Amino acid sequence: MPISARQGGEALMNVSTAGLDAWASIVVDGRYVTLRSSVKTDAWRSRLHWGVVKKT
């Protein structure tokens, strides 16, 4: 994933492909690594795939 911004211990990334936009934030501190992500689907195949992933 390409890094679009960095500040302190956080890196922001985003990816846009056919039918899918995804964002992620990774925060690293002295004790924890935290990942937050979001996905927006624009095509039926992407919705089907992420619908299955979401339920597992």
Side-chain angles (χ1 to χ4, degrees):
M1 253 187 208
I3 295 176
S4 57
R6 285 184 192 185
Q7 182 175 3
E10 181 177 18
L12 300 174
M13 297 169 272
N14 65 35
V15 171
S16 294
T17 63
L20 176 72
D21 293 319
W23 301 270
S25 166
I26 299 176
V27 178
V28 179
D29 64 23
R31 197 166 177 193
Y32 299 102
V33 175
T34 305
L35 168 66
R36 292 186 180 118
S37 63
S38 178
V39 175
K40 177 182 170 194
T41 57
D42 296 329
W44 70 269
R45 289 181 65 191
S46 298
R47 288 187 187 110
L48 178 63
H49 172 80
W50 286 102
V52 171
V53 169
K54 182 178 178 182
K55 292 179 182 185
T56 59

